[in-house]
Amino acid sequence: MDKRELRKGSLLVIAGVAGVLVVLAVIGLVVVYTGGYNVAATEQHTSFTRWAFDTTLRNSVRNRASGTTAPEGATPEMIAAGGTEYKATCQHCHAGPGVERAEWASGMRPRPPHLAEVADEWKLEEVHWIAKHGIRLTGMPAFGPSHDDRTLWNIALFVKRLPAMTPEEYAATGEPASEGSSHGENAH
């Protein structure tokens, strides 16, 4: 095969790839402009959409949290403070040992995970990053603008302890927040 035939073959491959990309872009625009994708929270995501979102979420959090350094030496006071904040700001969506999520949170898509069941799947730094920055299109708010970093680390430390807690230990950890607490107006 001479150079001319090789160049012609390369141009055909490039043109084919470009053509496929144009067709995909047109399909994407048709879906966007016609409202072809059902955004109702009463419907489950398709398997592909769920996989794509979960994979993107995990990789994004892992990459962005990799530069975060956890504080040294968690104390019982830090964990108890995290428990108080968790019960005030997180429990209604993420539940707790022996406590179900609020009924309204069950209608969210994606459904908020029970953190007592999945906290082991995340590193402490990743839990902190999620609490601080939130996750778009999930209902998970960014608590960084309304909570200081120490409070967010306390919450993350508490979340990492959830899988090992019994319902009795969970009930005894932290106290319900008072009206004058730092998160009173910002609870979501």
mmCIF file with all atom_site columns, all heavy atoms in Angstrom, residues 35-46:
data_model
loop_
_atom_site.group_PDB
_atom_site.id
_atom_site.type_symbol
_atom_site.label_atom_id
_atom_site.label_alt_id
_atom_site.label_comp_id
_atom_site.label_asym_id
_atom_site.label_entity_id
_atom_site.label_seq_id
_atom_site.pdbx_PDB_ins_code
_atom_site.Cartn_x
_atom_site.Cartn_y
_atom_site.Cartn_z
_atom_site.occupancy
_atom_site.B_iso_or_equiv
_atom_site.pdbx_formal_charge
_atom_site.auth_seq_id
_atom_site.auth_comp_id
_atom_site.auth_asym_id
_atom_site.auth_atom_id
_atom_site.pdbx_PDB_model_num
ATOM 1  N N   . GLY A 1 35 ? -37.696 17.164 24.868 1.00 0.00 ? 35 GLY A N   1
ATOM 2  C CA  . GLY A 1 35 ? -38.011 16.679 26.213 1.00 0.00 ? 35 GLY A CA  1
ATOM 3  C C   . GLY A 1 35 ? -38.191 15.170 26.209 1.00 0.00 ? 35 GLY A C   1
ATOM 4  O O   . GLY A 1 35 ? -38.947 14.628 27.002 1.00 0.00 ? 35 GLY A O   1
ATOM 5  N N   . GLY A 1 36 ? -37.471 14.499 25.339 1.00 0.00 ? 36 GLY A N   1
ATOM 6  C CA  . GLY A 1 36 ? -37.616 13.065 25.161 1.00 0.00 ? 36 GLY A CA  1
ATOM 7  C C   . GLY A 1 36 ? -37.214 12.217 26.355 1.00 0.00 ? 36 GLY A C   1
ATOM 8  O O   . GLY A 1 36 ? -37.671 11.093 26.499 1.00 0.00 ? 36 GLY A O   1
ATOM 9  N N   . TYR A 1 37 ? -36.373 12.751 27.224 1.00 0.00 ? 37 TYR A N   1
ATOM 10 C CA  . TYR A 1 37 ? -35.966 11.999 28.410 1.00 0.00 ? 37 TYR A CA  1
ATOM 11 C C   . TYR A 1 37 ? -36.914 12.337 29.550 1.00 0.00 ? 37 TYR A C   1
ATOM 12 O O   . TYR A 1 37 ? -37.127 13.507 29.871 1.00 0.00 ? 37 TYR A O   1
ATOM 13 C CB  . TYR A 1 37 ? -34.523 12.327 28.805 1.00 0.00 ? 37 TYR A CB  1
ATOM 14 C CG  . TYR A 1 37 ? -34.047 11.514 29.980 1.00 0.00 ? 37 TYR A CG  1
ATOM 15 C CD1 . TYR A 1 37 ? -33.667 10.191 29.817 1.00 0.00 ? 37 TYR A CD1 1
ATOM 16 C CD2 . TYR A 1 37 ? -34.001 12.064 31.258 1.00 0.00 ? 37 TYR A CD2 1
ATOM 17 C CE1 . TYR A 1 37 ? -33.244 9.417  30.894 1.00 0.00 ? 37 TYR A CE1 1
ATOM 18 C CE2 . TYR A 1 37 ? -33.577 11.303 32.342 1.00 0.00 ? 37 TYR A CE2 1
ATOM 19 C CZ  . TYR A 1 37 ? -33.203 9.987  32.144 1.00 0.00 ? 37 TYR A CZ  1
ATOM 20 O OH  . TYR A 1 37 ? -32.793 9.231  33.217 1.00 0.00 ? 37 TYR A OH  1
ATOM 21 N N   . ASN A 1 38 ? -37.498 11.334 30.172 1.00 0.00 ? 38 ASN A N   1
ATOM 22 C CA  . ASN A 1 38 ? -38.446 11.535 31.268 1.00 0.00 ? 38 ASN A CA  1
ATOM 23 C C   . ASN A 1 38 ? -37.676 11.902 32.537 1.00 0.00 ? 38 ASN A C   1
ATOM 24 O O   . ASN A 1 38 ? -36.915 11.092 33.066 1.00 0.00 ? 38 ASN A O   1
ATOM 25 C CB  . ASN A 1 38 ? -39.265 10.259 31.491 1.00 0.00 ? 38 ASN A CB  1
ATOM 26 C CG  . ASN A 1 38 ? -40.334 10.440 32.541 1.00 0.00 ? 38 ASN A CG  1
ATOM 27 O OD1 . ASN A 1 38 ? -40.464 11.492 33.157 1.00 0.00 ? 38 ASN A OD1 1
ATOM 28 N ND2 . ASN A 1 38 ? -41.121 9.398  32.747 1.00 0.00 ? 38 ASN A ND2 1
ATOM 29 N N   . VAL A 1 39 ? -37.893 13.111 33.046 1.00 0.00 ? 39 VAL A N   1
ATOM 30 C CA  . VAL A 1 39 ? -37.187 13.569 34.240 1.00 0.00 ? 39 VAL A CA  1
ATOM 31 C C   . VAL A 1 39 ? -38.005 13.382 35.519 1.00 0.00 ? 39 VAL A C   1
ATOM 32 O O   . VAL A 1 39 ? -37.588 13.815 36.595 1.00 0.00 ? 39 VAL A O   1
ATOM 33 C CB  . VAL A 1 39 ? -36.761 15.054 34.114 1.00 0.00 ? 39 VAL A CB  1
ATOM 34 C CG1 . VAL A 1 39 ? -35.787 15.241 32.956 1.00 0.00 ? 39 VAL A CG1 1
ATOM 35 C CG2 . VAL A 1 39 ? -37.971 15.960 33.961 1.00 0.00 ? 39 VAL A CG2 1
ATOM 36 N N   . ALA A 1 40 ? -39.147 12.724 35.432 1.00 0.00 ? 40 ALA A N   1
ATOM 37 C CA  . ALA A 1 40 ? -40.015 12.543 36.597 1.00 0.00 ? 40 ALA A CA  1
ATOM 38 C C   . ALA A 1 40 ? -39.324 11.716 37.678 1.00 0.00 ? 40 ALA A C   1
ATOM 39 O O   . ALA A 1 40 ? -38.761 10.657 37.397 1.00 0.00 ? 40 ALA A O   1
ATOM 40 C CB  . ALA A 1 40 ? -41.316 11.854 36.188 1.00 0.00 ? 40 ALA A CB  1
ATOM 41 N N   . ALA A 1 41 ? -39.385 12.195 38.905 1.00 0.00 ? 41 ALA A N   1
ATOM 42 C CA  . ALA A 1 41 ? -38.799 11.466 40.030 1.00 0.00 ? 41 ALA A CA  1
ATOM 43 C C   . ALA A 1 41 ? -39.630 10.236 40.399 1.00 0.00 ? 41 ALA A C   1
ATOM 44 O O   . ALA A 1 41 ? -39.184 9.420  41.200 1.00 0.00 ? 41 ALA A O   1
ATOM 45 C CB  . ALA A 1 41 ? -38.658 12.385 41.241 1.00 0.00 ? 41 ALA A CB  1
ATOM 46 N N   . THR A 1 42 ? -40.795 10.087 39.818 1.00 0.00 ? 42 THR A N   1
ATOM 47 C CA  . THR A 1 42 ? -41.610 8.902  40.086 1.00 0.00 ? 42 THR A CA  1
ATOM 48 C C   . THR A 1 42 ? -41.151 7.709  39.251 1.00 0.00 ? 42 THR A C   1
ATOM 49 O O   . THR A 1 42 ? -41.608 6.591  39.480 1.00 0.00 ? 42 THR A O   1
ATOM 50 C CB  . THR A 1 42 ? -43.097 9.174  39.785 1.00 0.00 ? 42 THR A CB  1
ATOM 51 O OG1 . THR A 1 42 ? -43.212 9.672  38.444 1.00 0.00 ? 42 THR A OG1 1
ATOM 52 C CG2 . THR A 1 42 ? -43.674 10.170 40.780 1.00 0.00 ? 42 THR A CG2 1
ATOM 53 N N   . GLU A 1 43 ? -40.271 7.939  38.295 1.00 0.00 ? 43 GLU A N   1
ATOM 54 C CA  . GLU A 1 43 ? -39.753 6.874  37.433 1.00 0.00 ? 43 GLU A CA  1
ATOM 55 C C   . GLU A 1 43 ? -38.308 6.565  37.821 1.00 0.00 ? 43 GLU A C   1
ATOM 56 O O   . GLU A 1 43 ? -37.536 7.470  38.119 1.00 0.00 ? 43 GLU A O   1
ATOM 57 C CB  . GLU A 1 43 ? -39.796 7.310  35.963 1.00 0.00 ? 43 GLU A CB  1
ATOM 58 C CG  . GLU A 1 43 ? -41.179 7.650  35.464 1.00 0.00 ? 43 GLU A CG  1
ATOM 59 C CD  . GLU A 1 43 ? -42.099 6.447  35.437 1.00 0.00 ? 43 GLU A CD  1
ATOM 60 O OE1 . GLU A 1 43 ? -41.631 5.343  35.098 1.00 0.00 ? 43 GLU A OE1 1
ATOM 61 O OE2 . GLU A 1 43 ? -43.290 6.619  35.769 1.00 0.00 ? 43 GLU A OE2 1
ATOM 62 N N   . GLN A 1 44 ? -37.944 5.293  37.782 1.00 0.00 ? 44 GLN A N   1
ATOM 63 C CA  . GLN A 1 44 ? -36.563 4.886  38.033 1.00 0.00 ? 44 GLN A CA  1
ATOM 64 C C   . GLN A 1 44 ? -35.703 5.221  36.814 1.00 0.00 ? 44 GLN A C   1
ATOM 65 O O   . GLN A 1 44 ? -36.202 5.276  35.692 1.00 0.00 ? 44 GLN A O   1
ATOM 66 C CB  . GLN A 1 44 ? -36.491 3.376  38.295 1.00 0.00 ? 44 GLN A CB  1
ATOM 67 C CG  . GLN A 1 44 ? -37.174 2.928  39.557 1.00 0.00 ? 44 GLN A CG  1
ATOM 68 C CD  . GLN A 1 44 ? -36.429 3.362  40.814 1.00 0.00 ? 44 GLN A CD  1
ATOM 69 O OE1 . GLN A 1 44 ? -35.263 3.728  40.800 1.00 0.00 ? 44 GLN A OE1 1
ATOM 70 N NE2 . GLN A 1 44 ? -37.134 3.347  41.925 1.00 0.00 ? 44 GLN A NE2 1
ATOM 71 N N   . HIS A 1 45 ? -34.409 5.419  37.047 1.00 0.00 ? 45 HIS A N   1
ATOM 72 C CA  . HIS A 1 45 ? -33.484 5.578  35.930 1.00 0.00 ? 45 HIS A CA  1
ATOM 73 C C   . HIS A 1 45 ? -33.323 4.242  35.222 1.00 0.00 ? 45 HIS A C   1
ATOM 74 O O   . HIS A 1 45 ? -33.492 3.181  35.825 1.00 0.00 ? 45 HIS A O   1
ATOM 75 C CB  . HIS A 1 45 ? -32.106 6.029  36.434 1.00 0.00 ? 45 HIS A CB  1
ATOM 76 C CG  . HIS A 1 45 ? -32.072 7.423  36.952 1.00 0.00 ? 45 HIS A CG  1
ATOM 77 N ND1 . HIS A 1 45 ? -32.338 8.516  36.160 1.00 0.00 ? 45 HIS A ND1 1
ATOM 78 C CD2 . HIS A 1 45 ? -31.795 7.915  38.180 1.00 0.00 ? 45 HIS A CD2 1
ATOM 79 C CE1 . HIS A 1 45 ? -32.217 9.615  36.875 1.00 0.00 ? 45 HIS A CE1 1
ATOM 80 N NE2 . HIS A 1 45 ? -31.906 9.280  38.105 1.00 0.00 ? 45 HIS A NE2 1
ATOM 81 N N   . THR A 1 46 ? -32.970 4.294  33.946 1.00 0.00 ? 46 THR A N   1
ATOM 82 C CA  . THR A 1 46 ? -32.655 3.054  33.232 1.00 0.00 ? 46 THR A CA  1
ATOM 83 C C   . THR A 1 46 ? -31.362 2.492  33.804 1.00 0.00 ? 46 THR A C   1
ATOM 84 O O   . THR A 1 46 ? -30.592 3.199  34.460 1.00 0.00 ? 46 THR A O   1
ATOM 85 C CB  . THR A 1 46 ? -32.469 3.318  31.727 1.00 0.00 ? 46 THR A CB  1
ATOM 86 O OG1 . THR A 1 46 ? -31.330 4.157  31.546 1.00 0.00 ? 46 THR A OG1 1
ATOM 87 C CG2 . THR A 1 46 ? -33.705 3.957  31.104 1.00 0.00 ? 46 THR A CG2 1
#
